[in-house]
Amino acid sequence: MAVMDSLDPVGGVGQSTAAMDRLWVFRGEVYQCLGRRRDVLFELTDALLCTEGPVKTLVGLCLAPEHRRGHGALYDAVNCGQVDADRLRETLAELPVPRMFGGRIVLAVDVSPWLRPDAETCPDRLFCHVYGRGRNADQRIPGWPYQVVAALESGPTSWTAVLDAVRLGPADDATAVTADQLRAVVHRLQAAGHWRAGDPAVMVMLDSGYDVTRLAFVLADLPVHLVGRIRADRIMLGPAPSPGADPRAGRPRRHGAVMALADPGSWPTPATQTQTATTRYGQAAATSFDRMHPRLASRGPWADHPGRLPIVEGTVIRLQVEHLSGQREAKPVWLWSSATGADAEEVTRCWQAYLRRFDLEHTFRLWKQTLGWTAPKIRSPQAGDRWTWLVIAAHTQLRLARHLAVDLRRPWEKPLPAERLTPARIRRGFRHLRQKVLQPASAPKPSRPGPGRPPGVKNRRPAPRYDVGKTAKRDTATGSDQPVKG
């Protein structure tokens, strides 16, 4: 499929016609990505888009008029159907990609858990981090963590363009999976023509749970610019002085002065300092320190590194805003950028793009609270993957119908212009829009349900129970490889 036009509004009938064509073609591509039980899976996606109100249960979708099969066919399709995830990933990459800063692609990577605390018969569960309501109330709850990569838009919005999703397994290394996922996404964007030689590097926003230094080293051959949040108690090191600058004899130094982020007295001279006015946070002060790197140790992802450990230099950025929403006090945010020699304008782009990373949280909230992503009680993780891709296909259709649907607002809601409609409000009018687009699923054939288990016969094959957590252990530090802070 050829690269489609941009989603930026061009006005008039031309925009509506182009958007309708994109939605028509995408629905046909989604149908081709479905294999076994494709008709049921496609109608399940339509029911997901056309059901009134939030999706509370999976079986409730069979009551929608768009789903013409019974509940038995619905569960059979989710448990035994087939979705070609690789082809669907390529289809998503060929769609128009939103851009920031006048044409730059900005990606966000984050993990959202599908919690299954009481599902002892579900394999491949991990302990997922869940934020609590109070201070130090975070918990670790069993579930399936899914890592999502999405393209971000500029300005305050709840829209993102999801490009990929991967479930993290018990034997997976999170950093290695993230590197492979980002590499595949960038290659698909290049193949689709969204990035060409000479274009600015693709910016990737990461939260504090990612090893941004390791990712910068592994992805050094790609045109990516990584920006990740680091802890406020980290220790960074400056560039080593030139050999002639140290009068003492001995081996040349590899590291420079120590910079403790929690100790302002140890900070070197800033490379840039800027003040920017924001609408939500007041004045934002950004200070950058160039060519800073952490001290690496031969453990964890660096345990098998051949030879001397590398020095991965970047730019440390300290962002301090006046206040948060509701006039709350704001603590400084520390970022590490994989680019060195960044000027004040590039530093401003880094922290502005990082703040847009939180738009992905709106996407997760829509999936869980409106589309019912985590509502089904599915035992097999493979069935969870199929359902996840159906939710992604439904969310993408909402994005393509952004300029087509009519705002069916509630009486207590304020009217919004077409460019500011949220995905949930676009979903309200999708049932009327569905009648004008491609519907490739065939009509159901008459059938009768099976007899099932005879009454009074017990289940003689109980489902096995599975433990929760990692199945692969990392090498622990021994001898001289003691933990080094920072």
Side-chain angles (χ1 to χ4, degrees), residues 42-57:
F42 192 85
E43 288 190 354
L44 181 59
T45 306
D46 279 351
L48 190 64
L49 289 168
C50 301
T51 300
E52 293 290 340
V55 177
K56 298 297 183 180
T57 59

Side-chain angles (χ1 to χ4, degrees), residues 173-433:
D173 180 78
T175 304
V177 173
T178 305
D180 295 340
Q181 187 180 18
L182 286 175
R183 185 179 299 275
V185 169
V186 172
H187 286 168
R188 286 194 293 268
L189 292 177
Q190 291 176 331
H194 295 300
W195 190 93
R196 298 180 177 86
D199 293 345
V202 177
M203 300 185 72
V204 181
M205 302 296 114
L206 305 163
D207 205 2
S208 57
Y210 291 90
D211 190 350
V212 61
T213 308
R214 173 68 179 179
L215 291 174
F217 175 79
V218 175
L219 302 177
D221 58 321
L222 293 181
V224 294
H225 176 191
L226 302 179
V227 178
R229 185 174 180 176
I230 56 178
R231 291 167 55 99
D233 59 352
R234 290 287 298 270
I235 294 178
M236 308 298 288
L237 304 173
S242 57
D246 191 354
R248 298 174 297 178
R251 185 175 59 181
R253 297 178 58 185
R254 299 192 70 212
H255 309 290
V258 175
M259 175 186 177
L261 303 187
D263 182 14
S266 64
W267 298 352
T269 303
T272 63
Q273 289 181 306
T274 59
Q275 289 278 346
T276 307
T278 63
T279 57
R280 297 186 59 185
Y281 310 110
Q283 289 290 329
T287 306
S288 69
F289 306 91
D290 194 22
R291 297 188 61 190
M292 306 300 296
H293 64 274
R295 187 190 300 274
L296 304 179
S298 298
R299 62 176 184 272
W302 302 99
D304 299 330
H305 184 81
R308 178 179 290 185
L309 295 178
I311 294 179
V312 185
E313 292 185 335
T315 302
V316 173
I317 302 173
R318 181 182 185 271
L319 176 63
Q320 178 67 64
V321 298
E322 282 188 291
H323 58 80
L324 299 177
S325 301
Q327 301 298 322
R328 294 177 298 165
E329 182 182 359
K331 296 182 179 180
V333 175
W334 291 91
L335 305 175
W336 187 87
S337 168
S338 61
T340 57
D343 55 7
E345 185 178 357
E346 182 67 14
V347 171
T348 302
R349 283 195 290 263
C350 289
W351 66 261
Q352 287 180 346
Y354 179 79
L355 294 182
R356 293 264 58 85
R357 188 199 69 83
F358 295 97
D359 294 342
L360 192 54
E361 301 294 339
H362 295 285
T363 300
F364 292 148
R365 187 179 298 111
L366 174 77
W367 288 8
K368 294 181 178 181
Q369 297 182 1
T370 303
L371 299 181
W373 172 42
T374 58
K377 305 303 181 182
I378 298 175
R379 177 185 300 176
S380 169
Q382 290 74 25
D385 296 343
R386 298 186 197 100
W387 174 247
T388 300
W389 280 111
L390 293 183
V391 173
I392 293 175
H395 179 262
T396 304
Q397 292 185 56
L398 292 178
R399 182 168 64 92
L400 296 178
R402 186 174 177 180
H403 302 287
L404 298 174
V406 180
D407 183 19
L408 303 178
R409 67 182 183 90
R410 302 293 186 254
W412 55 85
E413 294 177 341
K414 296 181 180 180
L416 293 176
E419 62 273 8
R420 293 195 58 190
L421 291 178
T422 61
R425 291 174 72 160
I426 293 293
R427 178 173 173 262
R428 295 176 188 171
F430 195 88
R431 170 171 288 174
H432 307 285
L433 182 63

Side-chain angles (χ1 to χ4, degrees), residues 463-475:
R465 266 58 177 171
Y466 299 92
D467 295 332
V468 184
K470 289 284 188 180
T471 58
K473 296 182 179 180
R474 296 181 179 178
D475 297 334

Side-chain angles (χ1 to χ4, degrees), residues 121-135:
T121 60
C122 291
D124 297 346
R125 290 184 302 162
L126 296 176
F127 287 103
C128 304
H129 177 264
V130 178
Y131 289 99
R133 292 185 177 272
R135 185 181 297 273

